[in-house]
Amino acid sequence: MKSINAIAAILVAGGVGYAMWPAAPKTAASDTVVSMEGGALANVLLPETLSQNAQIGKLGFEAKCAACHGVNAAGQDGVAPPLVHVIYEPSHHGDEAFQRAAATGVRAHHWPFGDMPPVEGITRGDVTMIIAYIRELQRANGIN
């Protein structure tokens, strides 16, 4: 009987401890991806201004990337990941990774969305401008 009471006390203490454990703060650059209204997977904070290259890149992104990666690179639930995410920070996915993904496609390795096909009708110069846009969005969201 004493062992049953001891086990019950441990379970109750563990449950109370778990319930009172502070939650990790959620930020736009959080590792957690949460589906939001409209299918977006990230809450993207926009910079006050964009450089000229990023403005050009935004147009290219909207024409070639947003259909899958969503408005402002926020991703789309069930379609493609957000590019404004810590996984795509420059030290993990450098600019050349974006160039190669656009040119040759990429095998799924971080997300359950499947393989990304090559992007038709896009040049290295176009992708360079798109990268400028994505990097400025990332910086505005604390991803350096």
Side-chain angles (χ1 to χ4, degrees), residues 5-131:
N5 288 338
I7 291 171
I10 291 170
L11 289 174
V12 169
V16 170
Y18 177 77
M20 296 181 69
W21 194 267
K26 302 281 189 227
T27 65
S30 171
D31 283 343
T32 304
V33 176
V34 179
S35 180
M36 304 179 84
E37 186 176 326
L41 295 173
N43 182 20
V44 177
L45 304 173
L46 301 177
E48 289 184 29
T49 60
L50 291 171
S51 70
Q52 191 171 21
N53 285 350
Q55 290 175 28
I56 295 166
K58 180 179 181 186
L59 296 174
F61 182 89
E62 290 170 348
K64 295 291 188 174
C65 311
C68 295
H69 288 286
V71 176
N72 298 316
Q76 289 194 83
D77 192 18
V79 180
L83 299 176
V84 179
H85 191 277
V86 71
I87 284 178
Y88 298 103
E89 68 185 348
S91 65
H92 186 70
H93 282 88
D95 294 355
E96 188 58 28
F98 285 92
Q99 289 284 359
R100 292 185 67 193
T104 64
V106 65
R107 184 178 50 83
H109 59 285
H110 287 297
W111 306 95
F113 297 105
D115 297 343
M116 177 183 153
V119 180
E120 297 294 326
I122 197 165
T123 68
R124 281 189 68 84
D126 296 333
V127 177
T128 297
M129 297 299 147
I130 292 168
I131 292 167

